[in-house]
């Protein structure tokens, strides 16, 4: 049996959505699943047991950041990420391709790899696909990712094609360099920017390498949402039915629903925790920013009917006070709520697929979400920490 394997359990009759089970060395995960992001081997402001108690069974950590600090050799000496961060569930590490893209003024891409300057101290590093895999072998995650070039948006067609071809060549090198195939699953990443034919070509070339799972990369990098959905419709059906499909860097409630609708099984994003630290929380009627003056004497919870710790014990007025006073508890309470919201949404989605009623859930979600949203809250800067 491979270290990570996937089983489709049920399919939604009205869409491409499927209910699945992803089995890893650190437990089984029901899919579709949202993975909270622990960039630096920690979900910001949260303890591991709090994240576990919210229902998360898999986290994402970042290869680029852990390579720079504390160093993959330190994590290896600790026994890998699981004991290092005291996390009992599964871990997925991304390869650092997105972070390299976000460091555009500080990096130079060649066929052999990427030269970049650390955002921490300016030191120069060179990272090859083989290095990215070796680092992830040392980190010890259950699922590791091939090193790709995350094509920025916008990119002209010539650049997108060159980027796609480089990613395909790097994927083959990553596969050849993988030193722990009996313990870790290496997923391939498809690219292609916003060009349907390039998306198709990338999917074909990556699937030929026969990875145990596939990620859709290079989306949610600035393109309009309808374009992202179109690229999913083009590319996801070309990925093997019996392998998990992972949409990288996506985590807004509407995008989770639309991604699942189009056949995606796995998601990750810093959005819920990053927004929380700036006082913005998800509700069924849209996002609200509780730092605003309108909530100074609002004694309601962040969301009526929510069962998270923050909503059961504290008012919007109190949480606003904490945020305005720069108290860490305010950020923690908003983070607890946002992660609870997305993890419960995914649970509802799984139940809806099992019952054949995902279309009804999607309709009901938009009836409320569009009615009461305060408007789009700009994502704060700091793409390197995605």
């Amino acid at each position: 049996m491979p270290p990570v394997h996937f089983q489709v359990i049920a399919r939604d009759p009205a869409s491409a959505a499927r209910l699945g089970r992803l089995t890893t060395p650190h437990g089984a995960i029901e899919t579709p699943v949202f993975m909270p992001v622990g960039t630096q081997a920690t979900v910001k402001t949260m303890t591991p047991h709090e994240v576990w108690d919210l229902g998360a069974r898999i986290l994402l950590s970042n290869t680029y950041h852990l390579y720079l600090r504390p160093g993959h050799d330190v994590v290896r000496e600790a026994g890998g990420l699981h004991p290092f961060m005291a996390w009992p569930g599964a871990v997925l590490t991304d390869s650092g391709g997105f972070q390299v893209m976000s460091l555009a003024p500080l990096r130079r891409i060649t066929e052999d790899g990427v030269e970049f300057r650390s955002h921490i101290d300016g030191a120069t590093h060179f990272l090859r696909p083989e290095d990215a895999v070796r680092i992830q072998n040392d980190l010890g995650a259950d699922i590791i990712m091939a090193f790709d070039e995350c094509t920025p948006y916008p990119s002209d067609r010539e650049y997108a094609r060159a980027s796609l071809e480089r990613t395909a060549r790097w994927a083959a090198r990553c596969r050849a360099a993988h030193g722990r195939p009996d313990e870790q699953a290496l997923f391939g990443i498809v690219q292609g920017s916003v060009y349907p034919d390039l998306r198709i070509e990338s999917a074909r070339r990556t699937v030929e390498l026969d990875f145990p799972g596939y990620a859709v990369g290079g989306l949610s990098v600035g393109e309009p949402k309808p374009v992202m959905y179109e690229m999913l419709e083009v590319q996801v059906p070309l990925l093997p039915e019996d392998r998990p499909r992972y949409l990288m860097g996506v985590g807004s409630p509407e995008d989770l629903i639309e991604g699942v609708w189009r056949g995606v099984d796995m998601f990750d994003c810093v959005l819920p925790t990053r927004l929380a630290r700036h006082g913005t929380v998800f509700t069924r009627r849209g996002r609200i920013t509780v730092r605003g003056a309108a909530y100074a004497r609002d004694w309601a919870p962040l969301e009526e009917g929510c069962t998270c710790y923050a909503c059961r014990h504290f008012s919007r007025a109190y949480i606003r006070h904490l945020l305005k006073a720069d108290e860490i508890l305010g950020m923690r309470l908003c983070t607890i709520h946002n992660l609870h919201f997305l993890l419960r949404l995914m649970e509802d989605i799984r139940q809806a697929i099992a019952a054949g009623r995902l279309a009804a859930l999607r309709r009901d979600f938009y009836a409320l979400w569009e009615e009461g949203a305060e408007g789009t809250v700009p994502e704060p800067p700091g793409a390197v920490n995605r």
Side-chain angles (χ1 to χ4, degrees):
M1 183 68 71
V4 172
H5 56 278
F6 179 71
Q7 177 186 8
V8 177
I9 297 171
R11 300 179 187 276
D12 179 67
S15 70
R18 60 260 193 95
L19 183 69
R21 180 173 295 112
L22 181 68
T23 304
T24 78
H26 289 85
I29 298 120
E30 305 303 313
T31 64
V33 64
F34 174 77
M35 300 179 287
V37 174
T39 299
Q40 309 269 10
T42 178
V43 177
K44 291 187 187 298
T45 78
M46 302 284 284
T47 65
H49 84 268
E50 288 173 326
V51 180
W52 180 270
D53 288 347
L54 286 171
R57 295 296 179 264
I58 180 170
L59 301 181
L60 180 143
S61 285
N62 182 263
T63 298
Y64 165 87
H65 287 278
L66 296 173
Y67 161 70
L68 292 178
R69 182 175 55 193
H72 54 101
D73 55 335
V74 173
V75 177
R76 183 188 64 240
E77 289 177 24
L81 277 171
H82 299 88
F84 184 61
M85 61 191 293
W87 173 249
V91 177
L92 181 151
T93 46
D94 63 9
S95 66
F98 175 84
Q99 283 69 33
V100 167
M101 181 199 75
S102 69
L103 291 168
L106 306 176
R107 55 99 165 127
R108 181 176 64 89
I109 300 174
T110 71
E111 180 61 28
D112 194 37
V114 180
E115 180 182 87
F116 64 92
R117 285 192 288 125
S118 165
H119 72 286
I120 298 172
D121 59 10
T124 299
H125 300 264
F126 193 87
L127 194 64
R128 303 177 306 149
E130 293 83 359
D131 299 325
V133 171
R134 176 177 53 84
I135 292 166
Q136 292 181 88
N137 287 161
D138 285 348
L139 294 175
D142 303 87
I143 299 171
I144 66 176
M145 303 303 300
F147 190 59
D148 65 323
E149 181 185 354
C150 183
T151 312
Y153 177 85
S155 291
D156 62 41
R157 183 181 183 82
E158 181 180 357
Y159 185 92
R161 171 169 286 284
S163 176
L164 174 162
E165 292 176 348
R166 183 180 296 114
T167 290
R169 291 190 294 270
W170 285 0
R173 290 167 58 183
C174 287
R175 196 176 188 283
H178 186 15
R180 300 175 63 183
D182 295 333
E183 303 170 67
Q184 300 172 299
L186 173 66
F187 283 18
I189 304 176
V190 295
Q191 290 287 344
S193 188
V194 295
Y195 302 98
D197 60 322
L198 297 187
R199 284 277 165 188
I200 291 169
E201 179 178 345
S202 181
R204 177 184 59 79
R205 294 178 65 171
T206 309
V207 168
E208 286 175 355
L209 293 171
D210 192 28
F211 289 103
Y214 297 88
V216 177
L219 295 178
S220 191
V221 292
E223 79 283 356
K225 285 185 185 291
V227 174
M228 178 175 75
Y229 300 154
E230 179 189 355
M231 294 305 101
L232 289 177
E233 290 167 3
V234 166
Q235 202 165 50
V236 170
L238 303 178
L239 305 179
E241 283 279 330
D242 62 346
R243 312 290 169 88
R245 302 156 172 174
Y246 164 30
L247 177 56
M248 306 182 78
V250 169
S252 68
E254 66 272 29
D255 289 347
L256 296 179
I257 289 175
E258 295 305 317
V260 169
W261 187 264
R262 290 162 173 82
V264 176
D265 306 299
M266 303 168 66
F267 304 84
D268 84 279
C269 194
V270 299
L271 186 66
T273 50
R274 178 177 287 168
L275 289 179
R277 296 194 303 278
H278 290 78
T280 297
V281 294
F282 298 126
T283 78
R284 288 165 294 178
R285 295 181 177 274
R287 302 179 188 180
I288 64 171
T289 301
V290 291
R291 292 181 66 95
Y295 302 102
R297 289 179 171 82
D298 189 334
W299 310 114
L302 292 174
E303 180 172 26
E304 293 286 357
C306 177
T307 60
C308 80
Y309 174 79
C311 288
R312 285 188 286 111
H313 294 281
F314 304 104
S315 67
R316 293 172 174 179
Y318 178 65
I319 294 174
R320 176 184 183 271
H321 155 67
L322 295 175
L323 292 167
K324 298 294 284 186
D326 291 327
E327 288 288 345
I328 293 173
L329 181 59
M331 302 179 196
R332 279 175 42 76
L333 294 175
C334 290
T335 300
I336 289 169
H337 173 80
N338 278 353
L339 289 179
H340 172 92
F341 183 95
L342 291 189
L343 292 169
R344 293 292 78 72
L345 174 63
M346 299 310 289
E347 183 177 339
D348 291 344
I349 286 172
R350 291 192 294 269
Q351 292 176 356
I353 295 171
R357 53 174 300 275
L358 185 61
L361 181 148
R362 185 180 185 226
R363 181 187 64 244
D364 293 346
F365 170 84
Y366 282 116
L368 289 175
W369 185 258
E370 294 178 343
E371 173 187 329
E374 286 187 350
T376 300
V377 179
E379 184 169 336
V384 74
N385 285 318
R386 179 182 182 186

